[in-house]
Coordinates of all heavy atoms in Angstrom, one line a residue:
M1 N 237.7 65.0 73.6 CA 236.9 65.2 74.8 C 237.7 64.8 76.0 O 238.3 63.7 76.0 CB 235.6 64.4 74.7 CG 234.7 64.6 75.9 SD 233.2 63.6 75.7 CE 232.2 64.8 74.8
A2 N 237.8 65.6 77.0 CA 238.6 65.2 78.2 C 237.8 64.2 79.0 O 236.6 64.0 78.9 CB 238.9 66.5 79.0
L3 N 238.5 63.6 80.0 CA 237.9 62.5 80.8 C 236.6 62.9 81.5 O 235.6 62.3 81.4 CB 238.9 62.1 81.8 CG 238.5 61.0 82.8 CD1 237.9 59.8 82.0 CD2 239.6 60.6 83.7
Y4 N 236.6 64.0 82.2 CA 235.4 64.4 83.1 C 234.4 65.2 82.4 O 233.6 65.8 83.0 CB 235.9 65.0 84.3 CG 236.8 64.1 85.1 CD1 237.9 64.6 85.8 CD2 236.6 62.8 85.2 CE1 238.7 63.8 86.6 CE2 237.4 61.9 85.9 CZ 238.5 62.5 86.6 OH 239.3 61.6 87.3
D5 N 234.3 65.2 81.0 CA 233.3 65.8 80.2 C 232.1 64.9 80.0 O 231.1 65.3 79.5 CB 233.8 66.2 78.9 CG 234.8 67.4 79.0 OD1 234.9 68.0 80.0 OD2 235.5 67.6 78.0
K6 N 232.2 63.7 80.5 CA 231.2 62.7 80.2 C 230.1 62.7 81.3 O 230.3 63.1 82.4 CB 231.8 61.3 80.0 CG 232.8 61.3 78.8 CD 233.6 60.1 78.7 CE 234.5 60.1 77.5 NZ 235.2 61.4 77.3
K7 N 228.9 62.1 80.9 CA 227.8 62.1 81.9 C 227.6 60.7 82.5 O 226.8 60.6 83.4 CB 226.5 62.5 81.2 CG 226.5 63.9 80.6 CD 225.2 64.2 80.1 CE 225.1 65.6 79.4 NZ 225.6 66.7 80.1
G8 N 228.5 59.8 82.2 CA 228.4 58.5 82.8 C 229.7 57.8 82.7 O 230.7 58.3 82.3
P9 N 229.8 56.5 83.2 CA 231.0 55.8 83.2 C 231.5 55.4 81.8 O 230.8 55.3 80.8 CB 230.7 54.5 84.0 CG 229.2 54.3 83.8 CD 228.6 55.7 83.7
I10 N 232.8 55.2 81.7 CA 233.5 54.7 80.6 C 233.7 53.2 80.9 O 234.5 52.9 81.8 CB 234.8 55.4 80.3 CG1 234.5 56.9 80.1 CG2 235.5 54.8 79.0 CD1 235.8 57.7 80.1
V11 N 233.1 52.3 80.1 CA 233.3 50.9 80.4 C 234.3 50.3 79.4 O 234.2 50.5 78.2 CB 231.9 50.1 80.2 CG1 232.1 48.7 80.4 CG2 230.8 50.7 81.1
V12 N 235.4 49.7 80.0 CA 236.5 49.2 79.2 C 236.8 47.8 79.6 O 236.7 47.5 80.8 CB 237.7 50.1 79.3 CG1 237.5 51.4 78.6 CG2 238.1 50.4 80.7
K13 N 237.2 47.0 78.7 CA 237.6 45.6 79.0 C 239.2 45.7 78.9 O 239.7 45.9 77.9 CB 237.1 44.6 78.0 CG 237.6 43.2 78.3 CD 237.0 42.1 77.4 CE 237.5 40.8 77.9 NZ 237.0 39.7 77.0
E14 N 239.8 45.4 80.1 CA 241.2 45.5 80.2 C 241.8 44.1 80.1 O 241.2 43.1 80.5 CB 241.6 46.1 81.5 CG 241.1 47.4 81.8 CD 241.7 48.5 80.8 OE1 242.5 48.1 80.0 OE2 241.3 49.7 81.0
E15 N 242.9 44.0 79.5 CA 243.7 42.7 79.4 C 244.7 42.7 80.5 O 245.0 43.7 81.1 CB 244.3 42.7 78.0 CG 243.3 42.7 76.8 CD 242.4 41.5 76.8 OE1 242.8 40.4 77.2 OE2 241.2 41.7 76.4
P16 N 245.3 41.5 80.7 CA 246.3 41.4 81.8 C 247.5 42.3 81.5 O 247.9 42.5 80.3 CB 246.7 39.9 81.7 CG 245.5 39.2 81.1 CD 244.9 40.2 80.2
G17 N 247.9 43.0 82.5 CA 249.0 43.9 82.3 C 248.8 45.2 83.2 O 247.9 45.2 84.0
V18 N 249.7 46.1 83.0 CA 249.6 47.4 83.8 C 248.9 48.5 83.0 O 249.1 48.7 81.8 CB 251.1 47.9 84.1 CG1 251.0 49.2 84.9 CG2 251.8 46.8 84.9
T19 N 248.0 49.2 83.7 CA 247.2 50.2 83.0 C 247.3 51.5 83.9 O 247.3 51.4 85.1 CB 245.7 49.8 83.0 OG1 245.6 48.6 82.2 CG2 244.8 50.8 82.3
F20 N 247.4 52.6 83.2 CA 247.5 53.9 83.9 C 246.2 54.7 83.6 O 246.0 55.1 82.4 CB 248.7 54.7 83.3 CG 250.0 54.1 83.6 CD1 250.5 52.9 83.0 CD2 250.9 54.6 84.6 CE1 251.7 52.3 83.2 CE2 252.1 54.0 84.9 CZ 252.5 52.9 84.2
Y21 N 245.4 54.9 84.6 CA 244.2 55.7 84.4 C 244.4 57.1 84.8 O 245.1 57.4 85.8 CB 243.1 55.1 85.3 CG 242.6 53.8 84.9 CD1 242.7 52.7 85.8 CD2 242.0 53.6 83.7 CE1 242.3 51.4 85.4 CE2 241.5 52.3 83.3 CZ 241.7 51.3 84.2 OH 241.3 50.0 83.8
C22 N 243.9 58.0 84.0 CA 244.0 59.5 84.3 C 243.2 59.8 85.6 O 242.1 59.4 85.8 CB 243.4 60.3 83.1 SG 243.3 62.0 83.4
M23 N 243.9 60.6 86.4 CA 243.2 61.1 87.7 C 243.1 62.7 87.6 O 242.5 63.2 88.6 CB 244.1 60.7 88.9 CG 244.1 59.2 89.1 SD 242.5 58.6 89.6 CE 242.4 59.1 91.3
C24 N 243.6 63.3 86.6 CA 243.5 64.8 86.6 C 242.4 65.3 85.7 O 242.0 66.5 85.8 CB 244.9 65.4 86.1 SG 245.2 65.2 84.3
G25 N 241.9 64.5 84.8 CA 240.8 64.9 83.9 C 241.2 65.6 82.6 O 240.4 66.0 81.8
L26 N 242.5 65.8 82.4 CA 243.0 66.5 81.3 C 243.4 65.7 80.1 O 243.6 66.2 79.0 CB 244.3 67.4 81.7 CG 244.0 68.4 82.8 CD1 245.3 69.1 83.1 CD2 243.0 69.4 82.3
T27 N 243.4 64.4 80.3 CA 243.8 63.5 79.2 C 242.9 63.6 77.9 O 241.7 63.9 78.0 CB 243.8 62.0 79.6 OG1 244.3 61.2 78.6 CG2 242.4 61.5 80.0
E28 N 243.5 63.4 76.8 CA 242.7 63.4 75.5 C 242.6 61.9 75.1 O 242.1 61.7 74.0 CB 243.5 64.2 74.4 CG 243.5 65.7 74.7 CD 242.1 66.3 74.7 OE1 241.2 65.8 74.0 OE2 241.9 67.3 75.5
D29 N 242.9 61.0 76.0 CA 242.8 59.6 75.7 C 242.1 58.9 76.8 O 242.5 57.8 77.3 CB 244.3 59.0 75.5 CG 244.2 57.5 75.0 OD1 243.3 57.2 74.3 OD2 245.2 56.8 75.4
A30 N 241.0 59.5 77.2 CA 240.2 58.9 78.3 C 239.8 57.5 78.1 O 239.4 57.1 77.0 CB 238.9 59.8 78.5
P31 N 239.9 56.6 79.2 CA 240.2 57.0 80.5 C 241.7 56.9 80.9 O 242.0 56.9 82.1 CB 239.3 56.0 81.3 CG 239.5 54.7 80.5 CD 239.5 55.2 79.0
Y32 N 242.5 56.8 79.9 CA 243.9 56.5 80.2 C 244.8 57.8 80.3 O 244.5 58.8 79.7 CB 244.5 55.6 79.1 CG 243.7 54.4 78.9 CD1 242.9 54.2 77.8 CD2 243.7 53.4 79.9 CE1 242.1 53.1 77.7 CE2 242.9 52.3 79.7 CZ 242.1 52.1 78.6 OH 241.3 51.0 78.5
C33 N 245.8 57.8 81.1 CA 246.7 58.9 81.2 C 247.5 59.0 79.9 O 248.0 58.1 79.4 CB 247.7 58.6 82.4 SG 249.0 59.8 82.5
D34 N 247.6 60.3 79.4 CA 248.4 60.5 78.2 C 249.5 61.5 78.5 O 250.2 62.0 77.6 CB 247.5 61.1 77.1 CG 247.0 62.5 77.4 OD1 247.2 63.0 78.5 OD2 246.3 63.1 76.5
G35 N 249.8 61.7 79.9 CA 250.9 62.6 80.3 C 250.5 64.0 80.4 O 251.3 64.9 80.7
S36 N 249.2 64.4 80.1 CA 248.8 65.8 80.2 C 248.9 66.4 81.5 O 249.0 67.6 81.7 CB 247.4 65.9 79.7 OG 247.3 65.6 78.3
H37 N 249.0 65.6 82.6 CA 249.1 66.1 83.9 C 250.4 66.8 84.2 O 250.5 67.7 85.0 CB 248.9 65.0 85.0 CG 249.9 63.9 84.9 ND1 249.8 62.8 84.1 CD2 251.1 63.8 85.6 CE1 250.8 62.0 84.2 NE2 251.6 62.6 85.1
N38 N 251.4 66.4 83.4 CA 252.7 67.0 83.6 C 252.7 68.5 83.2 O 252.2 68.8 82.1 CB 253.8 66.2 82.7 CG 254.1 64.9 83.3 OD1 254.2 64.7 84.4 ND2 254.2 63.9 82.3
G39 N 253.3 69.3 84.1 CA 253.4 70.7 83.8 C 252.1 71.5 83.8 O 252.1 72.7 83.5
Q40 N 251.1 70.9 84.3 CA 249.8 71.6 84.3 C 249.4 72.1 85.8 O 248.4 72.7 86.0 CB 248.6 70.7 83.8 CG 248.8 70.3 82.4 CD 248.6 71.5 81.4 OE1 247.8 72.4 81.6 NE2 249.5 71.5 80.4
G41 N 250.3 71.7 86.7 CA 250.1 72.1 88.1 C 248.9 71.4 88.7 O 248.3 71.9 89.7
T42 N 248.6 70.2 88.2 CA 247.4 69.5 88.8 C 247.8 68.8 90.1 O 246.9 68.6 90.9 CB 246.9 68.4 87.8 OG1 248.0 67.4 87.7 CG2 246.6 69.0 86.5
G43 N 249.0 68.5 90.3 CA 249.4 67.8 91.5 C 248.9 66.3 91.5 O 249.0 65.6 92.4
K44 N 248.4 65.9 90.3 CA 247.8 64.6 90.2 C 248.8 63.7 89.4 O 249.6 64.2 88.6 CB 246.5 64.6 89.4 CG 245.5 65.6 90.0 CD 244.7 64.9 91.1 CE 243.6 65.8 91.6 NZ 242.7 65.1 92.5
T45 N 248.7 62.4 89.7 CA 249.4 61.4 88.9 C 248.5 60.3 88.5 O 247.4 60.2 89.2 CB 250.6 60.8 89.7 OG1 250.1 60.3 91.0 CG2 251.6 61.9 90.0
P46 N 248.8 59.5 87.6 CA 247.9 58.4 87.2 C 247.7 57.4 88.2 O 248.6 57.2 89.1 CB 248.5 57.9 85.9 CG 249.9 58.3 86.0 CD 250.0 59.5 86.7
Y47 N 246.5 56.7 88.2 CA 246.2 55.6 89.1 C 246.7 54.3 88.3 O 246.2 54.1 87.2 CB 244.7 55.6 89.4 CG 244.3 54.5 90.4 CD1 244.4 54.8 91.7 CD2 243.8 53.3 89.9 CE1 244.0 53.8 92.6 CE2 243.4 52.3 90.8 CZ 243.5 52.6 92.2 OH 243.1 51.6 93.1
I48 N 247.6 53.6 88.9 CA 248.2 52.5 88.2 C 247.6 51.2 88.8 O 247.5 50.9 90.0 CB 249.7 52.5 88.5 CG1 250.3 53.8 88.0 CG2 250.4 51.3 87.7 CD1 251.7 54.0 88.4
V49 N 247.1 50.3 87.8 CA 246.5 49.1 88.2 C 247.2 48.0 87.4 O 247.5 48.1 86.2 CB 245.0 49.0 87.8 CG1 244.4 47.7 88.2 CG2 244.3 50.2 88.5
R50 N 247.5 46.9 88.1 CA 248.1 45.7 87.4 C 247.0 44.6 87.4 O 246.6 44.1 88.4 CB 249.3 45.1 88.2 CG 249.9 43.9 87.5 CD 251.1 43.4 88.3 NE 252.2 44.3 88.4 CZ 253.1 44.6 87.4 NH1 253.1 43.9 86.3 NH2 254.0 45.5 87.6
F51 N 246.5 44.4 86.2 CA 245.4 43.3 86.0 C 246.1 42.0 85.8 O 246.9 41.8 85.0 CB 244.5 43.7 84.8 CG 243.7 44.9 85.0 CD1 244.0 46.1 84.5 CD2 242.5 44.7 85.8 CE1 243.2 47.2 84.8 CE2 241.7 45.8 86.0 CZ 242.0 47.1 85.5
K52 N 245.7 41.0 86.6 CA 246.2 39.7 86.5 C 245.5 38.9 85.5 O 246.0 37.9 85.0 CB 246.2 39.0 87.9 CG 247.1 39.6 88.9 CD 247.0 38.9 90.2 CE 248.0 39.6 91.2 NZ 247.8 39.0 92.6
E53 N 244.3 39.3 85.2 CA 243.4 38.6 84.2 C 242.5 39.7 83.5 O 242.4 40.8 84.0 CB 242.6 37.5 84.9 CG 241.7 38.1 86.0 CD 241.1 36.9 86.8 OE1 241.8 35.9 87.1 OE2 239.9 37.1 87.2
A54 N 242.0 39.3 82.4 CA 241.1 40.2 81.7 C 239.9 40.6 82.6 O 239.4 39.7 83.3 CB 240.6 39.6 80.4
K55 N 239.5 41.8 82.6 CA 238.5 42.3 83.5 C 237.8 43.5 82.8 O 238.5 44.4 82.3 CB 239.1 42.7 84.8 CG 238.0 43.1 85.8 CD 238.7 43.3 87.2 CE 237.7 43.7 88.2 NZ 238.3 43.9 89.6
T56 N 236.5 43.6 83.0 CA 235.7 44.8 82.5 C 235.5 45.7 83.7 O 235.1 45.3 84.8 CB 234.4 44.4 81.9 OG1 234.6 43.5 80.8 CG2 233.6 45.6 81.5
V57 N 235.9 47.0 83.5 CA 235.8 48.0 84.6 C 235.0 49.2 84.2 O 234.9 49.5 83.0 CB 237.2 48.4 85.1 CG1 237.9 47.2 85.8 CG2 238.0 49.0 84.0
R58 N 234.4 49.9 85.1 CA 233.6 51.1 84.9 C 234.4 52.3 85.5 O 234.5 52.4 86.7 CB 232.3 51.0 85.5 CG 231.4 49.9 84.9 CD 230.2 49.6 85.7 NE 229.5 50.7 86.3 CZ 228.4 51.3 85.8 NH1 227.9 50.8 84.7 NH2 227.9 52.3 86.4
I59 N 235.0 53.1 84.6 CA 235.8 54.2 85.0 C 234.9 55.5 85.0 O 234.2 55.7 84.1 CB 237.0 54.4 84.0 CG1 237.9 53.1 84.0 CG2 237.8 55.6 84.4 CD1 238.5 52.7 85.3
C60 N 235.1 56.3 86.0 CA 234.3 57.5 86.2 C 234.6 58.4 85.0 O 235.7 58.7 84.7 CB 234.7 58.2 87.5 SG 233.8 59.8 87.7
G61 N 233.5 58.9 84.4 CA 233.6 59.8 83.3 C 233.1 61.2 83.7 O 233.2 62.1 82.8
C62 N 232.6 61.4 84.9 CA 232.0 62.7 85.2 C 232.9 63.5 86.3 O 232.7 64.7 86.4 CB 230.6 62.6 85.8 SG 230.5 61.8 87.4
G63 N 233.8 62.7 87.0 CA 234.6 63.4 87.9 C 234.0 63.5 89.3 O 234.6 64.1 90.2
K64 N 232.8 63.0 89.5 CA 232.1 63.1 90.8 C 232.3 61.9 91.8 O 231.9 62.0 92.9 CB 230.6 63.4 90.6 CG 230.4 64.7 89.9 CD 228.9 64.8 89.6 CE 228.6 66.0 88.7 NZ 227.2 66.0 88.3
S65 N 232.8 60.9 91.3 CA 233.0 59.7 92.1 C 233.9 59.9 93.3 O 234.9 60.6 93.2 CB 233.5 58.5 91.2 OG 233.8 57.4 92.0
E66 N 233.5 59.3 94.4 CA 234.4 59.3 95.6 C 235.3 58.1 95.6 O 236.1 57.9 96.5 CB 233.5 59.3 96.8 CG 232.7 60.6 97.0 CD 232.0 60.7 98.3 OE1 232.1 59.9 99.1 OE2 231.2 61.7 98.4
K67 N 235.2 57.3 94.5 CA 236.1 56.1 94.4 C 236.9 56.2 93.1 O 237.2 55.1 92.5 CB 235.3 54.8 94.5 CG 234.5 54.7 95.8 CD 233.7 53.4 95.8 CE 233.1 53.2 97.2 NZ 232.2 52.1 97.3
L68 N 237.4 57.4 92.7 CA 238.1 57.5 91.5 C 239.3 56.5 91.5 O 239.9 56.3 92.5 CB 238.6 58.9 91.4 CG 237.6 60.0 91.1 CD1 238.2 61.4 91.1 CD2 236.9 59.7 89.7
P69 N 239.7 56.0 90.4 CA 239.1 56.3 89.1 C 237.8 55.5 88.7 O 237.4 55.6 87.6 CB 240.3 55.8 88.1 CG 240.8 54.6 88.8 CD 240.8 55.0 90.3
Y70 N 237.3 54.8 89.7 CA 236.1 53.9 89.3 C 234.8 54.7 89.5 O 234.7 55.6 90.4 CB 236.1 52.7 90.2 CG 237.4 51.9 90.0 CD1 238.4 51.8 91.0 CD2 237.6 51.2 88.9 CE1 239.5 51.1 90.8 CE2 238.8 50.4 88.7 CZ 239.7 50.4 89.7 OH 240.9 49.7 89.5
C71 N 233.8 54.3 88.8 CA 232.5 54.9 88.9 C 231.8 54.4 90.1 O 231.9 53.2 90.4 CB 231.7 54.5 87.6 SG 229.9 55.0 87.7
D72 N 231.2 55.3 90.9 CA 230.4 54.9 92.1 C 228.9 55.3 91.9 O 228.2 55.2 92.9 CB 231.0 55.5 93.4 CG 230.8 57.0 93.5 OD1 230.3 57.6 92.5 OD2 231.2 57.5 94.5
G73 N 228.5 55.7 90.7 CA 227.1 56.0 90.5 C 226.8 57.5 90.8 O 225.7 57.9 90.6
A74 N 227.8 58.3 91.2 CA 227.6 59.7 91.5 C 227.1 60.5 90.3 O 226.4 61.5 90.5 CB 228.8 60.3 92.1
H75 N 227.3 60.1 89.1 CA 226.9 60.8 87.9 C 225.4 61.0 87.8 O 224.9 61.9 87.2 CB 227.4 60.2 86.6 CG 226.9 58.8 86.5 ND1 227.6 57.7 87.0 CD2 225.8 58.3 85.8 CE1 226.9 56.6 86.7 NE2 225.9 56.9 86.0
G76 N 224.6 60.1 88.4 CA 223.2 60.2 88.4 C 222.5 60.9 89.5 O 221.3 61.1 89.5
Q77 N 223.3 61.3 90.5 CA 222.7 61.9 91.7 C 222.2 63.3 91.5 O 221.4 63.8 92.3 CB 223.7 61.8 92.8 CG 224.0 60.4 93.2 CD 225.0 60.2 94.3 OE1 225.5 61.2 94.9 NE2 225.4 59.0 94.6
D78 N 222.6 64.1 90.5 CA 222.1 65.4 90.3 C 220.8 65.4 89.5 O 220.2 66.4 89.4 CB 223.1 66.3 89.5 CG 224.4 66.6 90.3 OD1 224.3 66.4 91.5 OD2 225.4 66.9 89.7
E79 N 220.5 64.3 89.0 CA 219.3 64.2 88.1 C 218.0 63.8 88.8 O 217.0 63.7 88.2 CB 219.6 63.1 87.0 CG 220.8 63.6 86.1 CD 221.3 62.4 85.3 OE1 220.7 61.4 85.3 OE2 222.4 62.6 84.7
K80 N 218.1 63.7 90.1 CA 216.9 63.3 90.9 C 216.1 64.5 91.2 O 216.5 65.6 91.3 CB 217.4 62.5 92.2 CG 218.0 61.2 91.9 CD 218.5 60.5 93.2 CE 219.1 59.2 92.8 NZ 219.8 58.6 94.0
Ligands
FES1 S1 246.8 62.9 82.0 FE1 245.6 62.9 83.8 S2 246.7 61.9 85.3 FE2 248.0 61.8 83.5

């Protein structure tokens, strides 16, 4: 399942270190970049975050967030 096929956020607990989040929606390893953006003409590159400490984050799974790669609650706005 690709990243933006989901109806809500993907909640992940990250450990200290560097993480690459998918920004193109083509990854098969959501929410992480798996290199699928290469050669697909997406013009997208992964969003790189360096975590200094363990942290739980909510990554957008629907593709509607205006704060990608993070969830901003936009997934629920069509259901009203
Ligand atoms: S696979 Fe989507 S940004 Fe790399």
Side-chain angles (χ1 to χ4, degrees):
M1 180 179 276
L3 176 58
Y4 297 143
D5 290 346
K6 297 170 181 44
K7 296 187 186 306
I10 302 166
V11 180
V12 288
K13 182 176 180 183
E14 303 293 2
E15 298 298 326
V18 178
T19 301
F20 295 74
Y21 292 117
C22 175
M23 293 293 285
C24 74
L26 298 176
T27 185
E28 293 295 329
D29 188 27
Y32 307 106
C33 173
D34 68 355
S36 294
H37 63 274
N38 287 320
Q40 298 293 320
T42 65
K44 305 277 186 171
T45 55
Y47 186 84
I48 303 169
V49 181
R50 180 181 301 276
F51 290 99
K52 293 180 180 172
E53 56 192 37
K55 183 175 184 181
T56 299
V57 294
R58 294 164 43 96
I59 302 299
C60 176
C62 73
K64 297 175 186 171
S65 175
E66 292 185 8
K67 297 181 178 178
L68 291 173
Y70 303 106
C71 174
D72 70 355
H75 58 274
Q77 295 180 3
D78 292 341
E79 300 166 5
K80 293 180 182 172

